[in-house]
Amino acid sequence: MKKNIYLSVIAALFAGVTLTSCSDFLEAENKTAGGQTADDYFGKDASSLLTSAYESLKATAYNPDMYSRGTDLYIHTRGKVATVFDSYTLTPEDNTVRSYYANVYKTINYANGVISYAGEDTAFGQEARFLRAYGYYLLTQQFGSVPYVTTYINSAETNYPRTPLNEIYTALIEELTSLYNNSSLAAQSHTGRASKQAVAALLAKVYLAAGWDIDTKLGDAAQGTYNVGSTSNFTQAASWAEKAINGVNLSMTFADKWSPYNEGNAEEIFSIQYERTGYPGDVTNSGHSMQNGFGGYYGSYDASGIKNVGSEDQQSQKSMYLFEPNDNRYEATYMMIMYAATKNASGKANWGDQGYYAYYNAKDLSTFPITRVYLPYYYTEADVNKFIEDHKHQLIADSKYANDNVIISLLTLPNVTTWTLASGSSTFQKKTVQISDYNNQVDNGACVKKFDDPNSDYTNQSNDYRDIVVFHVSDMYLVAAEAYLMAGQTAQALEKINAVRARAGLSPLASFSAYLPEYSTSTNFQIRDIDLVLDERARELYAEGHRWIDLRRTKQLVRYNVEFSEYVTSASQMANNAGEYKWLRPIPANEISANTGITSADQNPGY
Amino acid sequence: MQGKLKTFRIALTLILSLFVGAVSAQTVTGNVVDETGEPVIGATVMEKGTKNAAITDFDGNFTIKLESGKVITVSYIGMVAQDVNVAGKTSVNIVLKEDATTLQDVVVVGYGTMKKQDLTGSVSSVNTEQLNAKGAPSVLGNLQGSNPGVNITQSSGRGGSYNIEIRGKSSINSSTTPLYVVDGVMCDDIDWLNPQDIDRIDILKDASSTAIYGSRATAGVVMVTTKGGTTVKRDQQATISYDGYYGWSKKVRMPDFMDGQSFYNYRFMKFLSYAGQYATTPAANPVYQISSVLEQALLRENVGSGNFKMKEMLASGNTYDWPDLVTQNGSQQNHYLAVSGGSESINYHFGVGYNGEKGIYKGDKQDRINFKGSVDAKINKVVSAGFSVNGARTKKEYANDAAIQYAYRMNPYMTPYNAEGILNEKPGNYQALGTTSSYQFSDQANPLLVMQSTTEQRETWRVLGNFYVKFDIIKGLDFKTTFSPSYTNYRDGYFEGYRNPDTGNFYDASLTTTGAELTHNRGFSWTWDNIINYNTTIAENHNLGVMALFSTQASNTEKTYWAATDVMDNTDWWNMGTGTYNADDSYTSYTENSMVSYALRLNYSWKSRYLLTATVRRDGSSKFAKGNRWGTFPSVALAWRITEEPFMQKASWLSNLKLRLSYGVTGNNDGIGNFATQQTVSGPVFYPFGADYSNGFYPSSIVNKDLKWETSTEYNGGIDFGFLGGRISGSIDVYQKTSKDLLYSVALPLESGGGTMTTNIGSVRNTGVEVALTTVNIESKDWHWETTFTFAHNKNKVREINGTGNQVLSSGITTGSLFIGSSVNNTYAYEWGGIVTDRDMIVPDNLAAKNAGLIPGSTMKEYDYFYKVYGLTEGQPWIVDQNGDGNIKSEDDRVIQSMDPKWTGSLTSNLSWKGWDFSFSLYAKVGYKVYSNFLTSDILGLNDRGRQKLAMDWYVPAGTIIDADGINEDGTYINPKYQENTHYGNYPFPNNGGSNSGVGLHADFWNIAKGISNASFLKVKNITLGYTFKKNFLNHFGCKHLRLYFTVTNPFVITKYKGFDPEWANASVKQDGPSTINYQVGASIKF
């Protein structure tokens, strides 16, 4: 009897368990997702995905490896060695290239997501279409032909073959023209949104690139020679650049244009947005670090009172002589005078309205103590002595300051002359140093100030919250100049260049051939018309991240590197054994292995 | 005292006598001793077939009045029970033999136990003595080298965590951690148990043994039986036992870091540049000079004047051994106290343990308390019930990681203290060194200060329990239902920003504010097993056993992470409200999964000669989408006990011979997350349009809705043998395990934004052989010498990678990439050919040489050849140009090398003489390559000239200036010293002349290649000397057993590896660290 009871209990247990268990029991609840899939969420509202698409631009906004290195303008000092980008020893496995490729495609895929969820003719969809086109512009300039994908990738599909470059340009032109003519985008935006003005600027750049890449044939790579075929793309480029300029004159001074207090000014067309105030996360390291690039090394900020700069992308010898005397862009590009900082109780530099940022934050600079001065090549010794005389009340070497001495450097070649006022001393000691030795020491050379954020607390981190300007008006003047020149309209080209030079305080050039640069060149390097365009771009857009793209587009990459780069000694260094030049970045190895549509045979030449 | 003891003994004897039954006619007295002649106290003497019993006293004497029988049964725990015919006798002397086979006899298998002789699969076992002989503070450390095919590696020099791999890596993505089953409860970790609480560990290796655990069992199953439960016999008198040791550990076998002199030489050379014409026109063997940078190199007090600080410090011996400053002598202790006992209807076991460790790095520390209890009760003839609970609280404190890393970067000249004995904030900067600000090493913060800047702590609670009710329904048929909850909770706390009371500044000068982080992670899971067992014998010779299981399981985890900055000083993570809440980093999360399983097992044997085991299990998992949830995992195994055959009975030299064959399928879903088939929303990111921030969300990575079970099919053949009455015994197993549909996270085309997606990707095969051999070399009254030898070889091979060609490159490429035909664990790296020397060589016949215009077969200087073909100069490292095309690049010059050992083996030897015992064990892992983070780090780098280095034997070209006391006005050197003859070192010539800081054009490749190292090793794991006191001596103290011992662990290691310890050669830099020798004294006591 008892046994029967047990048996029934067991049988009931077993049956009950078996019946209730299976299907429901195996449904796990994803509480963190609130039961929603990504499709559910973005299908209702794609605006937050659009925000992510904009935000993803930050990852590619500042990339000195891919934008600045391997060119004529920048070098590394104080033991910082050449990167694979400088020496053209890049391989397909390089992580910087891989991340860049993936990050641009991330913007594109988010944009495609917005377009697929919201529809391409909605306000969100139109902004996304601009971002997508911008992404493809960036990719084509670095990699040439890439897979042109306009559908949202949300599955395990792995077959994305490369689309021929001319087809991408054609598609971008069609897309952008349609956006300009038939969209509800705002005419312009100074708060980082896509606008018709930005569309025009991008279209000008695409036409210009198409003119060079599709219609212009390379002659001799090392000589930088080429033959122009059809000029129609160049003509279109000039006309769209004029639309982007939109009648804006270069009336603002160059210094005002780059003032940290003048963000979103009239010359800005499209920019990537940063904002210190109101950042919801950890503000100390969520900005960018453009202000920490492009200069020498001045000690750590808390020991010297000068912002941290990493000895990377400093002035090359060409850059030292790039600006003509009286070009007001030099002073607006480089920090020529660095101010002193007193020390706090623990011996560290006081910060903010003293030291480096005193330039922006101090009430009266005329009496503020100076610790470092960097003067360009066109200053004479007499000018230096006059500077010392004019500023003698500010040139104080005292142990109460973080830097207890004062150093004035006259940045000339082959030797740099320094005047040092040692602590407690009243007379400057003059010394001449070879440029290579000068570059190897602390306090070497000027640094770029265009991206300075005077509110930075800790300049050893990503604490720069200046917007990064992607397109602006004077760039468009020079795009127009280049396009006019290539289209054979030399007079219009010169007019645009002279407009840029006029704002810089320079007299107009009568002709392209009237241009004589101050930097020295080897005997077999003859200055040509395109060099003026490139030099003007170098001066106007210094450190903005255009240089590598400009040199590649204009087919001057090999010629300029061989002539000016410290890291490239011969044209063959930029080619593989088969003699193929590395005009483009390698398709990343991971991409070749993951994308069944691209094989090693599709790799760019030279790798 | 003596009197008291006597009283106690009399009382005890009286109490014991209460158990004696009724009086009858014949009275027998006797004495029970063990084989050594020691009296056995508390042995049960029972009249056979009755309840009439007596118990021996302290001298082993007993008196029993027999009722009617003539046979008495004498039994004692751990000894073979003996029937003695006492017909006509009034006194007997009985010698009980130790039951050496008890532990080996029964093996714990999935959902039950089995006699070892009836096993059909491959199972290896370790008992508590074998386990604890090694003296490691953790269970896995003790298990290392005990079982062939079970590859256990210490994965870190800090905290001693272990990796375990049974029969090779059968999966790509998931860890190789096997399924742990602690007293029948599935568990993902056993290192929290106190080793002394473990009674035995059985490792199920082949698929026929593991398939009963189906989807959880691909990586093998480790069955842990803790003390108590089945190990406590009914009617056992209460026993109190104590096991424990205290040990000291010393850091040993440190890598050979540079001393003052070598660093001086290194630094001088690192400032050499090309001289004269070579400055503008490089050459194959340029001449080097030291320019005015000499002052910077040797740290002159002032520019142009003063002493050279490095010379001064070297001469006075004022250099520092930084690793020594951040380390200390460690200690370890382990204590375990247990009480157990039982009566006819109930038995119990309670234990409490403590484990404490002080690490080698100042600040590394661990404390663990274990508690345990189990009760089993027989309620009536049908129903029995019981529970067991095993819990632990572990508290770990961690030294500041960054400080440790900094300490290894500090060169011998960096000065920790100033003249007043106060720690320098920046030991390598000009203030600490007393030079002008232009001449210094670096602004690196002082590790000794940084070390005091943080607190990091983890407190973990684990409780594992099981509650069961069992019904013995009819003879042979029972039903057991078990509910097993498991609870894990850990709390991580981190605080940075302690201040130096001397200065009021942060210890870590790089900090600008305090910060705290707090993590709570709570996991709960339960399993409910319902098992029906039926055993019967049909027609005498057919034994049949059936087991049916229905099981459900669910688990969930919730996590909270909170971060704040600027919290109040010295409050650790206990007052975060005083700071600024960091919303961006803080988060909460929840995740859950569930599983339903059915299983059936059939055991059949005929006359114990032919054995068959067949199992099938069906698992459904919530991790997969509907339609792919269920997997079926069958197995079958056969065994033939040849020695049971009648025709073998005459072969008395052969005591045991058994052949085993098995086949089985297991599954795995470990490599994926709980919601791996759902794409959800991630974020937020923040973006301002103008001044106002918007939140951005984005889709989580792309998912594969078709994910399904990963499965492994394994064939195993084995032979168990015993010769000469068991003097030689052992087993040999061969296996082949093929795993397919592996869950692997593959890189998506970068067009999708560059994520990864888990997919069922391919196939891996493990093939191997395992041998275990035990020989009893000497067996006599006083002597016993036994040696156990194990050997295992496993070959791991990727067979198929679905649809993506013959390779998948990981994002790091060098490790983690997959290639068909190679091991899952491999390195894909450049091969370092050597150093470009001034010796002659024969020009190879390849494209590169021809392109350079050289004649293959001709003789030329190495430096001329390498300069012409590769642009390298004398003293630079060169990389093997695998295809001879003259370009070292991407894939064609990388080679694949396996990181699996060719074989592993161990040797354990136990020698005893009377009360003394001596044992040692060796463990070897051979043919073993690693990609060492240590060797790829700056410690073996030539890019910088301020950080500490390994003492490399580097190449120096003849004629190179290697020292000078200064430079005259006219540019000549003061007291220069030159390298007279070429020094042919194994490492590159440090200089600053050529590209990449003098390392040359192959620098980037060399930085990878130099990290590949042979890490084969032979370790003496332990040497132990113990003494067990005689029982009759101990009896005076009321003590049953006392053994004292001394153990040395890891005393010797033979290896070529140049880093810390070959075992954790691929640990991350922060987890790397010194190996240690531990000296332990311990005791084992039973009352």
Side-chain angles (χ1 to χ4, degrees), chain A residues 17 25 154 275 577 591, chain B residues 550 592 594 679 693 751 885:
Chain A
V17 161
F25 187 73
N154 195 23
E275 187 68 35
N577 283 356
E591 169 70 357
Chain B
F550 172 74
E592 67 177 23
S594 55
Q679 188 181 36
Y693 269 95
E751 283 73 18
D885 69 351

Side-chain angles (χ1 to χ4, degrees), chain B residues 24-35:
Chain B
S24 87
Q26 188 189 354
T27 301
V28 180
T29 57
N31 177 262
V32 183
V33 294
D34 64 13
E35 287 167 290

